[in-house]
Amino acid sequence: MIFMPASPDRAPRYLLAGIVGVLIVAGYASTLWLYYPGAKTWDAKYVYQDIAKGFYGDWQSPVMTWLWGLIDPIAPGSASMFLLIATTYWLGFALPSLALAVRGDRWALLPPFLALMPPAFVFVGTIWRDVLSSSCWLIAAGIAFIVAERPSPIRIPAQLLALALVVLGVLLRLNALLAAPILAAYVIWPDRFAWRRTVLAYVPAGITLFLGVQVVYYGVLGATRQNALQSIMIFDLGGISHFARENQYPVEWSEVENRQLLDSCYQPTEWDIYWRLEPCEFVMHKIEREKGLFGTSAIPKAWLLAMARHPIAYLEHRSAFMWNFLAGSNPTMWVADIEHPPERIFQDRPAFTALVSLHDALKPTPLFRAGSWFGAVPGGMLVRLAVGRYARRRVRARDVRLRRDLRAELLSCRRCVRLSLCLLGRGGRSCGRRRRGGAIPLFAG
């Protein structure tokens, strides 16, 4: 067998793809080295307990419970879910990086380094459905990027796989439904994405996804309704009470409790401050245990009534919460050992301890502010538009110069032809000097 050497055009591409592959493998290996078998959160603990019970509830995603139970024999405990999260995470960055490398684009080196950025990398070792949902969407976007502008027999199956991953992301994290139609539009029209078409398809796609969630959760898996949405209503009622300076809950409080409710209890940080954080646990103790109102129609009625009476207070509460989310210092890297509180996980690993120290040092910086990354998206789009406009202007200016030079060259060539014909004696009327026998020939025999 004769092996042909790689063409000069392909050799740099193969080298770039090889470098990308090494970076991805190194990043994946470092993730396993630092985090295995994963940092278990309280949510993860509850989900794993549900697997043992054979119980599917909708407080945590029942799809997460089903999926974890499916892969648990591979590595029982948190390790199986951690391996799935780590693998999908790095695959999501590998797909666009390798696609760019094959095209010879040096930007292919960027995704592996983005995957190692502290805001993302400190989450990859945590057993959270949020991380798995995001990883699924990374893969979906990567698949769409690969098949864009490349008609092939596998394009439609690849797009169907990407759409399935978009749906899986919603099933894992229900509030992802708000962003899913936009990503789905990109998956369907990766080379012809248009905002107008996306806006028109947004509502129908959102309704379709919501109905699909109901079918999968309660029809296929038979999940038990646990009224997770009412937990948000409880938080909103506390916020409206604080800003309106008036109790909005459908229960009465003692004078001390009412003062705490209106003044010190409210924090625009976490939704469960009225459930488990002292000194405000009395709120859910009375609503859920004493009065048995949680899970009944009393909570939604009180929520709707509070928003109707105090819309400004509701907006103040939601604005405070959003500002804290965008600009505040929110929980990021999970280090608590829930099996041995108050100890920290992986205390015997110097590399993990160094990563925690790096996280703590960078935590006050814009790197760990969600608003910085939200602002980077429109900022990047504006830069891209500016660069594109500048590039188009340069192309137009170059085209004008080329047309002008071409016109001059053609004119010069026409003059040369006329002169040549004149000198050879075949110029006819193109020559200025004439005699009876025609033009004066250059070579007279």
Side-chain angles (χ1 to χ4, degrees):
M1 181 180 293
I2 299 176
F3 293 92
M4 299 298 293
S7 66
D9 292 337
R10 292 184 178 180
R13 298 182 182 183
Y14 291 153
L15 177 60
L16 187 58
I19 295 173
V20 167
V22 170
L23 291 174
I24 293 295
V25 172
Y28 181 66
S30 65
T31 302
L32 300 184
W33 178 52
L34 285 166
Y35 288 111
Y36 188 86
K40 185 186 292 186
T41 64
W42 289 106
D43 288 351
K45 181 177 181 178
Y46 298 145
V47 170
Y48 198 73
Q49 289 174 347
D50 288 344
I51 296 173
K53 299 174 186 174
F55 173 77
Y56 294 106
D58 67 353
W59 192 283
Q60 304 292 332
S61 169
V63 173
M64 178 76 167
T65 308
W66 171 80
L67 182 60
W68 197 347
L70 187 68
I71 64 173
D72 191 54
I74 298 174
S78 61
S80 55
M81 183 53 65
F82 165 73
L83 289 173
L84 178 62
I85 291 174
T87 302
T88 53
Y89 176 85
W90 282 102
L91 181 60
F93 283 98
L95 291 177
S97 187
L98 291 173
L100 290 171
V102 170
R103 300 174 190 178
D105 194 330
R106 293 181 180 178
W107 285 104
L109 298 174
L110 181 61
F113 288 103
L114 288 178
L116 291 170
M117 290 289 286
F121 191 66
V122 298
F123 283 115
V124 68
T126 308
I127 310 300
W128 261 330
R129 54 192 171 127
D130 311 65
V131 184
L132 181 58
S133 174
S134 302
S135 300
C136 290
W137 280 18
L138 274 175
I139 297 175
I143 293 173
F145 178 75
I146 290 174
V147 302
E149 301 179 1
R150 292 176 180 271
S152 66
I154 67 168
R155 173 165 179 165
I156 293 180
Q159 287 176 297
L160 291 175
L161 174 60
L163 283 175
L165 289 169
V166 173
V167 174
L168 178 59
V170 175
L171 292 172
L172 289 169
R173 189 65 180 173
L174 186 55
N175 55 6
L177 188 147
L178 297 175
I182 300 175
L183 179 57
Y186 173 68
V187 169
I188 297 172
W189 302 292
D191 52 346
R192 293 178 290 111
F193 182 83
W195 280 108
R196 181 179 180 182
R197 179 168 49 199
T198 303
V199 170
L200 292 175
Y202 184 87
V203 173
I207 293 174
T208 302
L209 286 169
F210 179 77
L211 294 177
V213 169
Q214 308 308 306
V215 171
V216 174
Y217 276 22
Y218 309 109
V220 177
L221 296 177
T224 301
R225 296 183 184 273
Q226 296 176 297
N227 305 293
L229 188 59
Q230 289 197 16
S231 64
I232 306 301
M233 296 178 181
I234 293 291
F235 178 55
D236 285 344
L237 288 170
I240 298 173
S241 299
H242 172 76
F243 285 101
R245 311 302 301 167
E246 181 184 353
N247 173 41
Q248 303 300 314
Y249 289 105
V251 295
E252 298 294 331
W253 311 102
S254 68
E255 184 177 347
V256 175
E257 291 173 338
N258 193 66
R259 190 181 309 112
Q260 287 181 321
L261 181 68
L262 302 184
D263 294 330
S264 59
C265 280
Y266 178 71
Q267 304 274 340
T269 52
E270 300 172 82
W271 61 268
D272 55 352
I273 56 176
Y274 301 108
W275 296 70
R276 61 180 182 84
L277 299 183
E278 297 181 357
C280 303
E281 295 171 309
F282 69 85
V283 175
M284 286 309 297
H285 180 80
K286 176 172 283 190
I287 290 176
E288 185 176 25
R289 298 178 186 177
E290 293 184 12
K291 302 296 184 181
L293 297 179
F294 187 79
T296 68
S297 61
I299 302 301
K301 288 180 180 178
W303 181 70
L304 292 172
L305 185 61
M307 287 198 299
R309 288 179 176 176
H310 305 283
I312 303 301
Y314 174 75
L315 292 176
E316 288 180 309
H317 152 63
R318 276 294 155 188
S319 298
F321 183 77
M322 180 56 70
W323 177 252
N324 179 78
F325 172 71
L326 295 175
S329 178
N330 295 294
T332 47
M333 189 174 187
W334 187 276
V335 295
D337 188 342
I338 62 173
E339 302 296 343
H340 307 91
E343 296 182 8
R344 299 171 67 173
I345 58 173
F346 310 145
Q347 295 185 36
D348 57 340
R349 301 184 187 181
F352 183 81
T353 302
L355 181 62
V356 173
S357 299
L358 177 63
H359 162 268
D360 294 341
L362 295 176
K363 184 70 180 291
T365 69
L367 276 176
F368 282 88
R369 297 296 181 270
S372 301
W373 297 97
F374 274 98
V377 174
M381 294 176 65
L382 290 175
V383 171
R384 180 181 176 187
L385 289 174
V387 171
R389 181 173 297 180
Y390 174 73
R392 286 192 295 272
R393 287 180 178 176
R394 290 194 61 182
V395 169
R396 284 197 294 267
R398 184 192 63 186
D399 291 344
V400 170
R401 289 196 303 270
L402 288 176
R403 285 195 294 269
R404 184 174 63 246
D405 295 344
L406 181 60
R407 191 181 303 114
E409 296 240 0
L410 291 175
L411 183 60
S412 176
C413 289
R414 189 170 66 176
R415 289 173 178 171
C416 291
V417 170
R418 285 181 177 178
L419 180 59
S420 299
L421 292 175
C422 179
L423 294 175
L424 291 172
R426 302 183 61 85
R429 296 180 180 179
S430 63
C431 297
R433 298 174 60 191
R434 294 189 61 79
R435 65 185 177 92
R436 185 179 298 178
I440 300 177
L442 175 62
F443 303 105

